[in-house]
Amino acid sequence: MPAFAWGTCKTLYRMPEQWEIDTMLRVMGSLAAAVMLTAAPASAQIERIDVPPSRQSGLDMTLIDADAMPPEPELARRQRDDEVEGWSDAPLDPLAPVHPLYADLQKQLDQYRSKWSQLPQVRVGTGPAMSVGSTDPRVSALRERLGLSRAGRFDAALSSRISEYQKAHGLVADGKVSAQTIESLNKGAVYYEALIQLNMERARRLPTAASSGRYVLVDAGSARLWMYENGRPVDSMKVVVGSPETETPMMAAPLRFSSVNPYWNVPLELAQRLIAPNVLKGGLTYLSDRGYEVLDGWSDDAPVGDPRSVDWEGVARGDVKIRVRQLPGGANSMGEIKFMMPNQFGIYLHDTPNKALFNEEERWVSNGCVRVEDARRLARWLHGEMPQGASPRREEQVELDQPVPVYITYLTVGADSGGPVFRKDRYERDAAVLRRMNVGTGRMLDRDAEFREAMTLG
């Protein structure tokens, strides 16, 4: 069976050899130069899958199918042989169409430069936390760093300025100076400008504002989904995406069909860690009470097996591999519907019965797939109605009239009316890109070091 049909919602990674990284860096460029990946053959085993190239590149989406090529992305017009991974402050052609997110981030970059980059880039020494009333000698440098007079105390005005800085840089805005706030201040404006530019390059790989037709955009950085029509968003909803251990990859793939009343094929590691221990503890009724069944084989038409014949202790140890699936129904982890874009990473969009997750700020908890907040609303937008199967107890495939591209990106900087929104880099992709681009923190002035040097010279 195809690897994607297994539906583990998980991409497993290995650390690449240095020669592989070097090779990737030489050949990776824009989406137009992305590796063309085809679906796994029908005979493919359910095996460990290499990390998608986006893990190394940090900018490009893995193109699963040519049908998902963004219409006229700005970078796609450049020649493949001349393409190198990099970024600039603006499109090569200032009049070239770009995705609206690119234009939004360009405005945020200008706004950041006018508000924060103009401040004195003064290094603040490390040490204990500071707050209103602190008499630490570092207060002078802190005040100068934030555009206030060096002569002064840690007063309410400084605390307010610190809170403003923290809010703008994705920190807890409590007006206190922790080690994390000092680390951020000492990175300097050059670092944060580069972060905005890095995310502009990710946005540059998306369809342009002039693109016609419909597509789905998923941002794993903000855990949110948008539905686009003719270059503009018409709807949006929260999503749950992969955890840092099981990242949702950056990819582009056409959504071709939906599965109504889907089965949930339990990932092998969950069969070992969850199913087997509970069967050993509570007996086989654990399976029947929750709608689980064991299958004899991995094919689409594999017959249902007898759970009494399974060596559950062997499964719990990891010595025995079995296929367990959950029947359609209200408790099924896939919910009512899943939206399929065949790919060898086993990534798709799906419903979930656990709606409480969408009330949480931390929505980076899945095994790699994308759980959508309102699957029925997305289904109606895709199909014109909520598809209904012939039987609520049987999975049924419903084709789309026309494939709808899905673009999964990863933005760690967003746009807000008050300025750029710096998000936590949960997948730790930014640092590697910045290192390859030789982006540092800029030169931070150290007033204490200057004073010591002056005393030495004197």
Side-chain angles (χ1 to χ4, degrees), residues 361-381:
E361 290 295 324
E362 288 296 316
R363 300 195 299 279
W364 290 262
V365 297
S366 84
N367 281 327
C369 281
V370 180
R371 308 176 196 174
V372 300
E373 181 180 21
D374 192 335
R376 288 191 166 216
R377 197 166 90 229
L378 178 58
R380 287 192 294 269
W381 182 76

Side-chain angles (χ1 to χ4, degrees), residues 398-457:
V398 180
E399 300 283 342
L400 286 172
D401 293 337
Q402 294 290 334
V404 174
V406 176
Y407 305 107
I408 302 178
T409 188
Y410 178 71
L411 300 178
T412 53
V413 179
D416 187 79
S417 58
V421 178
F422 295 95
R423 306 182 182 118
K424 183 178 179 181
D425 179 14
R426 288 172 170 80
Y427 296 164
E428 298 182 354
R429 293 174 180 167
D430 290 352
V433 179
L434 294 177
R435 283 195 300 271
R436 291 202 301 276
M437 301 308 167
N438 197 28
V439 174
T441 57
R443 183 175 182 271
M444 302 294 289
L445 300 177
D446 191 328
R447 298 301 191 201
D448 292 336
E450 289 177 350
F451 177 79
R452 290 192 297 271
E453 183 178 354
M455 291 298 97
T456 302
L457 293 175

Side-chain angles (χ1 to χ4, degrees), residues 25-86:
L25 294 182
R26 286 196 301 269
V27 302
M28 289 202 142
S30 70
L31 180 58
V35 179
M36 299 293 287
L37 299 170
T38 56
S43 60
Q45 297 298 309
I46 302 169
E47 305 243 353
R48 183 181 179 88
I49 299 174
D50 287 343
V51 58
S54 61
R55 174 63 172 172
Q56 280 83 27
S57 77
L59 295 177
D60 295 314
M61 295 176 290
T62 298
L63 184 61
I64 301 299
D65 191 310
D67 286 349
M69 172 67 78
E72 293 299 318
E74 199 276 332
L75 286 183
R77 293 193 298 274
R78 290 155 67 176
Q79 293 294 321
R80 289 190 182 189
D81 293 341
D82 297 332
E83 185 63 70
V84 293
E85 188 183 47

Side-chain angles (χ1 to χ4, degrees), residues 71-72 97-100 206-212 215 228-232:
E72 293 299 318
V98 291
H99 191 277
L206 299 172
T208 69
S211 301
S212 60
Y215 65 87
Y228 275 77
E229 293 180 8
N230 299 319
R232 65 181 184 86

Side-chain angles (χ1 to χ4, degrees), residues 205-375:
R205 272 68 175 169
L206 299 172
T208 69
S211 301
S212 60
R214 300 189 302 163
Y215 65 87
V216 174
L217 174 62
V218 176
D219 175 23
S222 61
R224 196 159 191 91
L225 174 151
W226 290 265
M227 290 157 266
Y228 275 77
E229 293 180 8
N230 299 319
R232 65 181 184 86
V234 296
D235 200 353
S236 179
M237 65 181 67
K238 298 175 183 176
V239 295
V240 172
V241 293
S243 70
E245 293 75 30
T246 53
E247 303 173 13
T248 298
M250 296 165 65
M251 57 184 283
L255 198 159
R256 298 187 178 280
F257 64 91
S258 298
S259 292
V260 183
N261 304 316
Y263 291 105
W264 178 46
N265 288 287
V266 180
L268 294 176
E269 66 272 21
L270 287 185
Q272 176 186 352
R273 289 191 295 105
L274 175 67
I275 304 296
N278 279 294
V279 170
L280 292 172
K281 179 180 179 180
L284 295 177
T285 54
Y286 174 83
L287 299 175
S288 56
D289 289 348
R290 291 160 179 79
Y292 290 116
E293 60 184 12
V294 176
L295 299 183
D296 285 339
W298 310 99
S299 63
D300 290 336
D301 57 353
V304 177
D306 185 350
R308 294 173 297 180
S309 64
V310 174
D311 176 6
W312 291 104
E313 291 184 351
V315 176
R317 290 193 306 269
D319 299 334
V320 177
K321 308 296 182 185
I322 62 167
R323 182 181 175 190
V324 179
R325 74 178 179 187
Q326 191 175 31
L327 295 170
N332 185 283
S333 296
M334 296 291 103
E336 294 182 300
I337 189 170
K338 60 182 179 181
F339 308 96
M340 302 301 293
M341 41 188 190
N343 62 87
Q344 65 269 54
F345 303 132
I347 301 296
Y348 48 84
L349 283 59
H350 67 88
D351 186 19
T352 176
N354 188 3
K355 303 299 184 183
L357 285 172
F358 299 104
N359 296 324
E360 303 291 334
E361 290 295 324
E362 288 296 316
R363 300 195 299 279
W364 290 262
V365 297
S366 84
N367 281 327
C369 281
V370 180
R371 308 176 196 174
V372 300
E373 181 180 21
D374 192 335

